[in-house]
Amino acid sequence: MRRTAGRITGRILPTLLAVTGLLLGPTATAGATADPAHPASPAAGTAALPEQWRSYWVDAFNEGIYTPEQADRLVADALAVNANALVVQTARRYDCFCNHALYPRTDAAVAPLPYDPLATIIDKAHAAGLQVHAWVNVNTMWNSATPPSSPDHVFNRHGPSAAGADRWLNKRSDGAELIGANAYVDPGHPAAADYIVRAVTSIVNHYDVDGINLDYVRYPDSNLATGRSDWGYNDVSVARFQAATGRTDIPRPDDPEWSDWRRDQVTGLVRRIYLALWEADPGLRLSMDAITYGHGPQAVGGWEATRTYAEVLQDWAGWLEQGIMDTALTMNYKREWNPDQALMFAEWSEFLADHQAGRQAVNGPALYLNSVADSVAQARRAVSPSAAGNTAAGWSGYSYANPAMETLGGGWEERSARRDALAEALTTGPDAPFAEPAAVPDMPWKTSPSDGHVSGRLLLRGGGVLDQAWVTLRPLGGGEPLAMPTDGNGWFGFVHVPAGRYLVTVELPSGVVGLPADVVEVTRGAIAEADFPAFVRVR
């Protein structure tokens, strides 16, 4: 019988605390100064601002971050719409729009060295009181017939030219690994997952970002049938599934056990990134771009019946519930002028407002699919209360480069003019949704934590790890235990558990011996490391 990792539910409901001191151009209080390290932190002498996330997604396939001059314009345009954050594409296809990360520097036509797109935007945005969140594509490896120039790029080292365990490519059930020129990483491959965590951490270790935004943290599209995922058939991933379940067959795409296992690989990766960021800086925000395909859960039979959960294996509602995701930026990309899609937008808006689970969900409309007037209407709905009286944490527009459907594919100046019109419509007039500045919502589970975390790694003497070994966390003061399997790198992590002493035990597989228990002390806001001596494989 399949076991699932324990969840901690009933999290602290966020009583969002007013944050002051966000400078938004001429609207800031005279004489106030923002904390340059934390642009959304309070500044002396300012009145409290209402809390509401407002951002543009700034993609790296278009103008906006390629030169210092574009960075200046980006910041000015964000201030014009009374935004308080920028979600800037940093790692696009395992190439980085930055100079100091594990990802190699992009081949895109950015200004030459020493220009550093991410560093430049951080400096300019923080000076203006804007937060910067580094947008990282997780499982999209490459998308061009021309390979990247860097020999260290993942596509060159672990793509079509690699063999055996060095091949990280996701594979479809029919054997396809490329869809056109698009190549994907399989999150069930331990080496690939480990690289992703190290690469994300390298960004926060070198840049003063306010958070990481994970995109494409899921399985690919281009399935052979609707309602299921045909991906995840990398040889290493299939072998791990077989080892975990004792099965010897190649599972069918619609096999429930196989779907659960693949979904758990993505969830485990998110959990590990969450704690890696916490270790680097507990104040960093982990956000992600959440799929909202089709009609909302209430129209299709519940969350697990959505295409999000069943087809791309992305359990973002569960991540909020588990507390391993701070903010879901929902890609609520619907055409307001199409009645059926307008209904979809309303359904997802209702769902995300009501299912934040003590974390935050931001409503992210597609500007490029709508006129300015329709985008303003969606912005109003995005931040309006649900029938139950709940409100989403804010708004994020996709995208900065394409602000309206009328100018999609047009010249940059034409699009810039339409963006100016959008900013005026969103901020001017009695019904303007963003007429006044707002602050990025606080994260009380991070700024005033009431609990802590436990993590560890199970190693084998002489090399290797214990993959998918079950670890149990038992509170010594009494209470319900939690259990989860290690990931493919032998890692485990229990998040947001009450402070206190815990017994951590390992269910050792046959042929492995060692001391399978440790006691840890969990304190508020800290990660307690379970320390196990290396285990020995005796056969």
Side-chain angles (χ1 to χ4, degrees), residues 128-172:
L130 296 166
Q131 289 194 1
V132 176
H133 297 260
W135 165 6
V136 175
N137 282 40
V138 175
N139 291 323
T140 51
M141 182 185 286
W142 194 239
N143 70 334
S144 172
T146 302
S149 64
S150 171
D152 293 327
H153 192 285
V154 163
F155 183 81
N156 292 328
R157 294 176 64 90
H158 302 286
S161 62
D166 287 334
R167 195 178 185 93
W168 296 357
L169 285 168
N170 208 327
K171 185 191 298 185
R172 205 165 60 178

mmCIF file of all heavy atoms in Angstrom, residues 128-172:
data_model
loop_
_atom_site.group_PDB
_atom_site.id
_atom_site.type_symbol
_atom_site.label_atom_id
_atom_site.label_comp_id
_atom_site.label_asym_id
_atom_site.label_seq_id
_atom_site.Cartn_x
_atom_site.Cartn_y
_atom_site.Cartn_z
ATOM 1 N N ALA A 128 14.405 52.456 -5.930
ATOM 2 C CA ALA A 128 13.060 53.008 -6.119
ATOM 3 C C ALA A 128 12.040 52.388 -5.174
ATOM 4 O O ALA A 128 10.854 52.734 -5.245
ATOM 5 C CB ALA A 128 12.615 52.788 -7.559
ATOM 6 N N GLY A 129 12.470 51.467 -4.294
ATOM 7 C CA GLY A 129 11.542 50.845 -3.355
ATOM 8 C C GLY A 129 10.802 49.657 -3.903
ATOM 9 O O GLY A 129 9.774 49.254 -3.354
ATOM 10 N N LEU A 130 11.305 49.062 -4.988
ATOM 11 C CA LEU A 130 10.669 47.896 -5.595
ATOM 12 C C LEU A 130 11.423 46.624 -5.208
ATOM 13 O O LEU A 130 12.656 46.610 -5.201
ATOM 14 C CB LEU A 130 10.676 48.010 -7.119
ATOM 15 C CG LEU A 130 9.880 49.150 -7.747
ATOM 16 C CD1 LEU A 130 10.281 49.303 -9.209
ATOM 17 C CD2 LEU A 130 8.392 48.868 -7.639
ATOM 18 N N GLN A 131 10.695 45.577 -4.911
ATOM 19 C CA GLN A 131 11.313 44.280 -4.708
ATOM 20 C C GLN A 131 11.637 43.643 -6.061
ATOM 21 O O GLN A 131 10.997 43.926 -7.073
ATOM 22 C CB GLN A 131 10.393 43.354 -3.912
ATOM 23 C CG GLN A 131 10.246 43.731 -2.457
ATOM 24 C CD GLN A 131 9.616 42.620 -1.632
ATOM 25 O OE1 GLN A 131 9.289 41.543 -2.140
ATOM 26 N NE2 GLN A 131 9.430 42.873 -0.341
ATOM 27 N N VAL A 132 12.636 42.738 -6.054
ATOM 28 C CA VAL A 132 13.011 41.995 -7.257
ATOM 29 C C VAL A 132 13.029 40.515 -6.917
ATOM 30 O O VAL A 132 13.702 40.088 -5.979
ATOM 31 C CB VAL A 132 14.396 42.419 -7.784
ATOM 32 C CG1 VAL A 132 14.799 41.552 -8.980
ATOM 33 C CG2 VAL A 132 14.384 43.894 -8.170
ATOM 34 N N HIS A 133 12.258 39.737 -7.684
ATOM 35 C CA HIS A 133 12.179 38.292 -7.508
ATOM 36 C C HIS A 133 12.731 37.638 -8.767
ATOM 37 O O HIS A 133 12.265 37.906 -9.874
ATOM 38 C CB HIS A 133 10.737 37.866 -7.237
ATOM 39 C CG HIS A 133 10.214 38.450 -5.960
ATOM 40 N ND1 HIS A 133 10.152 37.733 -4.793
ATOM 41 C CD2 HIS A 133 9.784 39.705 -5.661
ATOM 42 C CE1 HIS A 133 9.692 38.510 -3.824
ATOM 43 N NE2 HIS A 133 9.464 39.713 -4.322
ATOM 44 N N ALA A 134 13.751 36.805 -8.589
ATOM 45 C CA ALA A 134 14.419 36.168 -9.714
ATOM 46 C C ALA A 134 13.584 34.999 -10.218
ATOM 47 O O ALA A 134 13.366 34.015 -9.497
ATOM 48 C CB ALA A 134 15.811 35.686 -9.298
ATOM 49 N N TRP A 135 13.144 35.121 -11.441
ATOM 50 C CA TRP A 135 12.265 34.139 -12.084
ATOM 51 C C TRP A 135 13.146 33.065 -12.719
ATOM 52 O O TRP A 135 13.978 33.342 -13.579
ATOM 53 C CB TRP A 135 11.404 34.896 -13.072
ATOM 54 C CG TRP A 135 10.639 34.160 -14.115
ATOM 55 C CD1 TRP A 135 10.481 32.820 -14.282
ATOM 56 C CD2 TRP A 135 9.895 34.775 -15.177
ATOM 57 N NE1 TRP A 135 9.702 32.546 -15.369
ATOM 58 C CE2 TRP A 135 9.322 33.728 -15.936
ATOM 59 C CE3 TRP A 135 9.666 36.091 -15.550
ATOM 60 C CZ2 TRP A 135 8.542 33.981 -17.066
ATOM 61 C CZ3 TRP A 135 8.882 36.341 -16.665
ATOM 62 C CH2 TRP A 135 8.317 35.290 -17.404
ATOM 63 N N VAL A 136 12.951 31.827 -12.284
ATOM 64 C CA VAL A 136 13.775 30.702 -12.712
ATOM 65 C C VAL A 136 12.894 29.633 -13.349
ATOM 66 O O VAL A 136 11.974 29.117 -12.714
ATOM 67 C CB VAL A 136 14.529 30.086 -11.508
ATOM 68 C CG1 VAL A 136 15.296 28.840 -11.932
ATOM 69 C CG2 VAL A 136 15.472 31.117 -10.889
ATOM 70 N N ASN A 137 13.171 29.301 -14.611
ATOM 71 C CA ASN A 137 12.484 28.178 -15.245
ATOM 72 C C ASN A 137 13.140 26.884 -14.774
ATOM 73 O O ASN A 137 14.336 26.684 -14.952
ATOM 74 C CB ASN A 137 12.565 28.284 -16.765
ATOM 75 C CG ASN A 137 11.581 29.287 -17.323
ATOM 76 O OD1 ASN A 137 11.391 30.356 -16.742
ATOM 77 N ND2 ASN A 137 10.959 28.968 -18.442
ATOM 78 N N VAL A 138 12.343 25.999 -14.198
ATOM 79 C CA VAL A 138 12.884 24.829 -13.505
ATOM 80 C C VAL A 138 13.157 23.661 -14.448
ATOM 81 O O VAL A 138 14.253 23.094 -14.453
ATOM 82 C CB VAL A 138 11.939 24.400 -12.373
ATOM 83 C CG1 VAL A 138 12.411 23.109 -11.720
ATOM 84 C CG2 VAL A 138 11.841 25.506 -11.315
ATOM 85 N N ASN A 139 12.178 23.261 -15.237
ATOM 86 C CA ASN A 139 12.293 22.009 -15.990
ATOM 87 C C ASN A 139 12.325 22.193 -17.505
ATOM 88 O O ASN A 139 12.094 21.248 -18.248
ATOM 89 C CB ASN A 139 11.156 21.060 -15.597
ATOM 90 C CG ASN A 139 11.310 20.551 -14.177
ATOM 91 O OD1 ASN A 139 12.421 20.301 -13.715
ATOM 92 N ND2 ASN A 139 10.192 20.400 -13.464
ATOM 93 N N THR A 140 12.605 23.405 -17.980
ATOM 94 C CA THR A 140 12.759 23.644 -19.416
ATOM 95 C C THR A 140 14.246 23.746 -19.728
ATOM 96 O O THR A 140 14.893 24.726 -19.384
ATOM 97 C CB THR A 140 12.037 24.931 -19.836
ATOM 98 O OG1 THR A 140 12.445 25.999 -18.971
ATOM 99 C CG2 THR A 140 10.536 24.765 -19.747
ATOM 100 N N MET A 141 14.798 22.736 -20.411
ATOM 101 C CA MET A 141 16.242 22.656 -20.600
ATOM 102 C C MET A 141 16.747 23.546 -21.728
ATOM 103 O O MET A 141 17.740 24.251 -21.583
ATOM 104 C CB MET A 141 16.649 21.194 -20.880
ATOM 105 C CG MET A 141 18.129 20.985 -21.057
ATOM 106 S SD MET A 141 18.583 19.297 -21.537
ATOM 107 C CE MET A 141 18.356 18.385 -20.031
ATOM 108 N N TRP A 142 16.103 23.525 -22.894
ATOM 109 C CA TRP A 142 16.568 24.295 -24.057
ATOM 110 C C TRP A 142 15.447 24.334 -25.080
ATOM 111 O O TRP A 142 14.541 23.500 -25.053
ATOM 112 C CB TRP A 142 17.829 23.669 -24.649
ATOM 113 C CG TRP A 142 18.562 24.552 -25.630
ATOM 114 C CD1 TRP A 142 18.833 24.265 -26.936
ATOM 115 C CD2 TRP A 142 19.131 25.837 -25.373
ATOM 116 N NE1 TRP A 142 19.540 25.306 -27.510
ATOM 117 C CE2 TRP A 142 19.735 26.289 -26.571
ATOM 118 C CE3 TRP A 142 19.183 26.661 -24.237
ATOM 119 C CZ2 TRP A 142 20.374 27.517 -26.678
ATOM 120 C CZ3 TRP A 142 19.832 27.894 -24.340
ATOM 121 C CH2 TRP A 142 20.416 28.302 -25.548
ATOM 122 N N ASN A 143 15.486 25.296 -25.996
ATOM 123 C CA ASN A 143 14.401 25.406 -26.977
ATOM 124 C C ASN A 143 14.880 25.958 -28.314
ATOM 125 O O ASN A 143 14.172 26.710 -28.974
ATOM 126 C CB ASN A 143 13.269 26.268 -26.426
ATOM 127 C CG ASN A 143 13.663 27.735 -26.310
ATOM 128 O OD1 ASN A 143 14.828 28.064 -26.170
ATOM 129 N ND2 ASN A 143 12.674 28.607 -26.359
ATOM 130 N N SER A 144 16.073 25.561 -28.739
ATOM 131 C CA SER A 144 16.603 26.032 -30.014
ATOM 132 C C SER A 144 17.357 24.907 -30.701
ATOM 133 O O SER A 144 17.985 24.063 -30.035
ATOM 134 C CB SER A 144 17.541 27.227 -29.788
ATOM 135 O OG SER A 144 18.196 27.580 -30.984
ATOM 136 N N ALA A 145 17.316 24.914 -32.049
ATOM 137 C CA ALA A 145 18.086 23.917 -32.799
ATOM 138 C C ALA A 145 19.583 24.176 -32.684
ATOM 139 O O ALA A 145 20.398 23.273 -32.903
ATOM 140 C CB ALA A 145 17.665 23.935 -34.268
ATOM 141 N N THR A 146 19.963 25.397 -32.329
ATOM 142 C CA THR A 146 21.368 25.738 -32.100
ATOM 143 C C THR A 146 21.687 25.538 -30.631
ATOM 144 O O THR A 146 21.038 26.152 -29.771
ATOM 145 C CB THR A 146 21.646 27.202 -32.483
ATOM 146 O OG1 THR A 146 21.292 27.407 -33.842
ATOM 147 C CG2 THR A 146 23.104 27.542 -32.267
ATOM 148 N N PRO A 147 22.646 24.709 -30.294
ATOM 149 C CA PRO A 147 22.943 24.468 -28.882
ATOM 150 C C PRO A 147 23.573 25.690 -28.232
ATOM 151 O O PRO A 147 24.141 26.552 -28.914
ATOM 152 C CB PRO A 147 23.920 23.286 -28.918
ATOM 153 C CG PRO A 147 24.543 23.342 -30.266
ATOM 154 C CD PRO A 147 23.490 23.887 -31.186
ATOM 155 N N PRO A 148 23.496 25.796 -26.923
ATOM 156 C CA PRO A 148 24.139 26.919 -26.236
ATOM 157 C C PRO A 148 25.654 26.870 -26.388
ATOM 158 O O PRO A 148 26.243 25.792 -26.584
ATOM 159 C CB PRO A 148 23.719 26.732 -24.775
ATOM 160 C CG PRO A 148 23.338 25.295 -24.662
ATOM 161 C CD PRO A 148 22.812 24.883 -25.993
ATOM 162 N N SER A 149 26.286 28.031 -26.286
ATOM 163 C CA SER A 149 27.731 28.101 -26.524
ATOM 164 C C SER A 149 28.551 27.541 -25.368
ATOM 165 O O SER A 149 29.656 27.040 -25.579
ATOM 166 C CB SER A 149 28.144 29.546 -26.803
ATOM 167 O OG SER A 149 27.916 30.361 -25.662
ATOM 168 N N SER A 150 28.022 27.622 -24.163
ATOM 169 C CA SER A 150 28.809 27.191 -23.011
ATOM 170 C C SER A 150 28.875 25.663 -22.944
ATOM 171 O O SER A 150 27.836 24.997 -22.955
ATOM 172 C CB SER A 150 28.201 27.718 -21.709
ATOM 173 O OG SER A 150 28.841 27.129 -20.589
ATOM 174 N N PRO A 151 30.074 25.095 -22.832
ATOM 175 C CA PRO A 151 30.167 23.634 -22.680
ATOM 176 C C PRO A 151 29.589 23.155 -21.355
ATOM 177 O O PRO A 151 29.281 21.964 -21.215
ATOM 178 C CB PRO A 151 31.677 23.369 -22.754
ATOM 179 C CG PRO A 151 32.322 24.660 -22.364
ATOM 180 C CD PRO A 151 31.408 25.738 -22.867
ATOM 181 N N ASP A 152 29.421 24.062 -20.389
ATOM 182 C CA ASP A 152 28.882 23.683 -19.086
ATOM 183 C C ASP A 152 27.357 23.737 -19.046
ATOM 184 O O ASP A 152 26.762 23.373 -18.019
ATOM 185 C CB ASP A 152 29.441 24.608 -17.999
ATOM 186 C CG ASP A 152 30.927 24.414 -17.789
ATOM 187 O OD1 ASP A 152 31.402 23.272 -17.952
ATOM 188 O OD2 ASP A 152 31.614 25.402 -17.467
ATOM 189 N N HIS A 153 26.742 24.207 -20.118
ATOM 190 C CA HIS A 153 25.273 24.263 -20.127
ATOM 191 C C HIS A 153 24.711 22.854 -20.000
ATOM 192 O O HIS A 153 25.247 21.891 -20.574
ATOM 193 C CB HIS A 153 24.778 24.932 -21.408
ATOM 194 C CG HIS A 153 23.324 25.285 -21.372
ATOM 195 N ND1 HIS A 153 22.326 24.349 -21.506
ATOM 196 C CD2 HIS A 153 22.705 26.484 -21.199
ATOM 197 C CE1 HIS A 153 21.154 24.951 -21.431
ATOM 198 N NE2 HIS A 153 21.350 26.246 -21.246
ATOM 199 N N VAL A 154 23.616 22.721 -19.254
ATOM 200 C CA VAL A 154 23.007 21.413 -18.999
ATOM 201 C C VAL A 154 22.650 20.694 -20.296
ATOM 202 O O VAL A 154 22.787 19.466 -20.396
ATOM 203 C CB VAL A 154 21.776 21.590 -18.083
ATOM 204 C CG1 VAL A 154 20.881 20.360 -18.125
ATOM 205 C CG2 VAL A 154 22.223 21.865 -16.652
ATOM 206 N N PHE A 155 22.205 21.427 -21.314
ATOM 207 C CA PHE A 155 21.849 20.793 -22.582
ATOM 208 C C PHE A 155 23.060 20.115 -23.212
ATOM 209 O O PHE A 155 22.948 19.028 -23.788
ATOM 210 C CB PHE A 155 21.273 21.832 -23.543
ATOM 211 C CG PHE A 155 20.811 21.263 -24.862
ATOM 212 C CD1 PHE A 155 19.578 20.655 -24.984
ATOM 213 C CD2 PHE A 155 21.624 21.345 -25.989
ATOM 214 C CE1 PHE A 155 19.146 20.132 -26.201
ATOM 215 C CE2 PHE A 155 21.203 20.823 -27.207
ATOM 216 C CZ PHE A 155 19.961 20.218 -27.310
ATOM 217 N N ASN A 156 24.219 20.743 -23.114
ATOM 218 C CA ASN A 156 25.429 20.170 -23.700
ATOM 219 C C ASN A 156 25.997 19.018 -22.884
ATOM 220 O O ASN A 156 26.581 18.084 -23.436
ATOM 221 C CB ASN A 156 26.495 21.259 -23.861
ATOM 222 C CG ASN A 156 26.120 22.286 -24.917
ATOM 223 O OD1 ASN A 156 25.450 21.963 -25.892
ATOM 224 N ND2 ASN A 156 26.533 23.528 -24.719
ATOM 225 N N ARG A 157 25.832 19.075 -21.580
ATOM 226 C CA ARG A 157 26.402 18.041 -20.710
ATOM 227 C C ARG A 157 25.441 16.895 -20.431
ATOM 228 O O ARG A 157 25.864 15.752 -20.213
ATOM 229 C CB ARG A 157 26.848 18.663 -19.391
ATOM 230 C CG ARG A 157 28.011 19.637 -19.528
ATOM 231 C CD ARG A 157 28.343 20.288 -18.191
ATOM 232 N NE ARG A 157 28.805 19.307 -17.221
ATOM 233 C CZ ARG A 157 30.069 18.952 -17.057
ATOM 234 N NH1 ARG A 157 31.012 19.496 -17.817
ATOM 235 N NH2 ARG A 157 30.412 18.070 -16.137
ATOM 236 N N HIS A 158 24.117 17.196 -20.421
ATOM 237 C CA HIS A 158 23.143 16.190 -19.985
ATOM 238 C C HIS A 158 21.937 16.086 -20.910
ATOM 239 O O HIS A 158 20.886 15.593 -20.515
ATOM 240 C CB HIS A 158 22.679 16.518 -18.562
ATOM 241 C CG HIS A 158 23.797 16.572 -17.573
ATOM 242 N ND1 HIS A 158 24.428 15.443 -17.112
ATOM 243 C CD2 HIS A 158 24.411 17.629 -16.976
ATOM 244 C CE1 HIS A 158 25.386 15.786 -16.257
ATOM 245 N NE2 HIS A 158 25.396 17.103 -16.159
ATOM 246 N N GLY A 159 22.102 16.561 -22.141
ATOM 247 C CA GLY A 159 21.018 16.522 -23.108
ATOM 248 C C GLY A 159 21.150 15.374 -24.082
ATOM 249 O O GLY A 159 21.580 14.271 -23.716
ATOM 250 N N PRO A 160 20.827 15.588 -25.364
ATOM 251 C CA PRO A 160 20.787 14.494 -26.347
ATOM 252 C C PRO A 160 22.113 13.787 -26.567
ATOM 253 O O PRO A 160 22.132 12.631 -27.007
ATOM 254 C CB PRO A 160 20.326 15.206 -27.626
ATOM 255 C CG PRO A 160 19.592 16.418 -27.156
ATOM 256 C CD PRO A 160 20.300 16.850 -25.924
ATOM 257 N N SER A 161 23.234 14.441 -26.281
ATOM 258 C CA SER A 161 24.531 13.798 -26.504
ATOM 259 C C SER A 161 24.987 12.959 -25.316
ATOM 260 O O SER A 161 26.000 12.253 -25.412
ATOM 261 C CB SER A 161 25.594 14.858 -26.811
ATOM 262 O OG SER A 161 25.754 15.740 -25.708
ATOM 263 N N ALA A 162 24.284 13.020 -24.210
ATOM 264 C CA ALA A 162 24.673 12.269 -23.009
ATOM 265 C C ALA A 162 24.063 10.875 -23.035
ATOM 266 O O ALA A 162 23.061 10.617 -23.712
ATOM 267 C CB ALA A 162 24.235 13.020 -21.759
ATOM 268 N N ALA A 163 24.661 9.985 -22.269
ATOM 269 C CA ALA A 163 24.189 8.599 -22.211
ATOM 270 C C ALA A 163 24.055 8.161 -20.764
ATOM 271 O O ALA A 163 24.646 8.740 -19.849
ATOM 272 C CB ALA A 163 25.168 7.676 -22.939
ATOM 273 N N GLY A 164 23.252 7.119 -20.557
ATOM 274 C CA GLY A 164 23.108 6.526 -19.239
ATOM 275 C C GLY A 164 22.558 7.509 -18.219
ATOM 276 O O GLY A 164 21.685 8.330 -18.513
ATOM 277 N N ALA A 165 23.119 7.459 -17.005
ATOM 278 C CA ALA A 165 22.637 8.316 -15.926
ATOM 279 C C ALA A 165 22.976 9.779 -16.147
ATOM 280 O O ALA A 165 22.413 10.651 -15.473
ATOM 281 C CB ALA A 165 23.217 7.843 -14.593
ATOM 282 N N ASP A 166 23.901 10.069 -17.075
ATOM 283 C CA ASP A 166 24.224 11.472 -17.379
ATOM 284 C C ASP A 166 23.162 12.145 -18.235
ATOM 285 O O ASP A 166 23.221 13.350 -18.452
ATOM 286 C CB ASP A 166 25.569 11.552 -18.104
ATOM 287 C CG ASP A 166 26.743 11.289 -17.184
ATOM 288 O OD1 ASP A 166 26.608 11.528 -15.964
ATOM 289 O OD2 ASP A 166 27.785 10.826 -17.671
ATOM 290 N N ARG A 167 22.206 11.396 -18.721
ATOM 291 C CA ARG A 167 21.161 11.930 -19.590
ATOM 292 C C ARG A 167 19.964 12.335 -18.722
ATOM 293 O O ARG A 167 19.274 11.476 -18.165
ATOM 294 C CB ARG A 167 20.754 10.863 -20.611
ATOM 295 C CG ARG A 167 19.937 11.368 -21.797
ATOM 296 C CD ARG A 167 19.651 10.197 -22.733
ATOM 297 N NE ARG A 167 18.974 10.578 -23.940
ATOM 298 C CZ ARG A 167 19.566 10.882 -25.089
ATOM 299 N NH1 ARG A 167 20.895 10.841 -25.156
ATOM 300 N NH2 ARG A 167 18.868 11.218 -26.157
ATOM 301 N N TRP A 168 19.742 13.635 -18.595
ATOM 302 C CA TRP A 168 18.690 14.157 -17.724
ATOM 303 C C TRP A 168 17.399 14.453 -18.471
ATOM 304 O O TRP A 168 16.427 14.941 -17.872
ATOM 305 C CB TRP A 168 19.160 15.447 -17.054
ATOM 306 C CG TRP A 168 20.331 15.285 -16.137
ATOM 307 C CD1 TRP A 168 20.979 14.132 -15.787
ATOM 308 C CD2 TRP A 168 21.009 16.346 -15.445
ATOM 309 N NE1 TRP A 168 21.998 14.394 -14.923
ATOM 310 C CE2 TRP A 168 22.051 15.745 -14.696
ATOM 311 C CE3 TRP A 168 20.835 17.731 -15.384
ATOM 312 C CZ2 TRP A 168 22.913 16.501 -13.892
ATOM 313 C CZ3 TRP A 168 21.691 18.474 -14.593
ATOM 314 C CH2 TRP A 168 22.718 17.868 -13.850
ATOM 315 N N LEU A 169 17.335 14.185 -19.746
ATOM 316 C CA LEU A 169 16.169 14.548 -20.542
ATOM 317 C C LEU A 169 14.911 13.850 -20.048
ATOM 318 O O LEU A 169 14.918 12.649 -19.761
ATOM 319 C CB LEU A 169 16.399 14.169 -22.007
ATOM 320 C CG LEU A 169 17.339 15.057 -22.824
ATOM 321 C CD1 LEU A 169 17.669 14.381 -24.134
ATOM 322 C CD2 LEU A 169 16.711 16.427 -23.063
ATOM 323 N N ASN A 170 13.839 14.628 -19.969
ATOM 324 C CA ASN A 170 12.537 14.016 -19.734
ATOM 325 C C ASN A 170 12.131 13.275 -21.009
ATOM 326 O O ASN A 170 12.451 13.705 -22.120
ATOM 327 C CB ASN A 170 11.503 15.090 -19.392
ATOM 328 C CG ASN A 170 10.396 14.563 -18.512
ATOM 329 O OD1 ASN A 170 10.013 13.404 -18.623
ATOM 330 N ND2 ASN A 170 9.869 15.413 -17.641
ATOM 331 N N LYS A 171 11.444 12.162 -20.827
ATOM 332 C CA LYS A 171 11.047 11.335 -21.964
ATOM 333 C C LYS A 171 9.544 11.075 -21.896
ATOM 334 O O LYS A 171 8.998 10.812 -20.834
ATOM 335 C CB LYS A 171 11.805 10.003 -21.956
ATOM 336 C CG LYS A 171 11.543 9.119 -23.177
ATOM 337 C CD LYS A 171 12.099 7.710 -22.977
ATOM 338 C CE LYS A 171 13.587 7.680 -22.800
ATOM 339 N NZ LYS A 171 14.106 6.276 -22.716
ATOM 340 N N ARG A 172 8.891 11.150 -23.064
ATOM 341 C CA ARG A 172 7.467 10.869 -23.140
ATOM 342 C C ARG A 172 7.249 9.359 -23.267
ATOM 343 O O ARG A 172 8.172 8.605 -23.601
ATOM 344 C CB ARG A 172 6.858 11.618 -24.328
ATOM 345 C CG ARG A 172 5.375 11.905 -24.192
ATOM 346 C CD ARG A 172 4.906 12.926 -25.191
ATOM 347 N NE ARG A 172 5.118 12.504 -26.580
ATOM 348 C CZ ARG A 172 4.755 13.215 -27.642
ATOM 349 N NH1 ARG A 172 4.170 14.392 -27.475
ATOM 350 N NH2 ARG A 172 4.983 12.775 -28.854
#
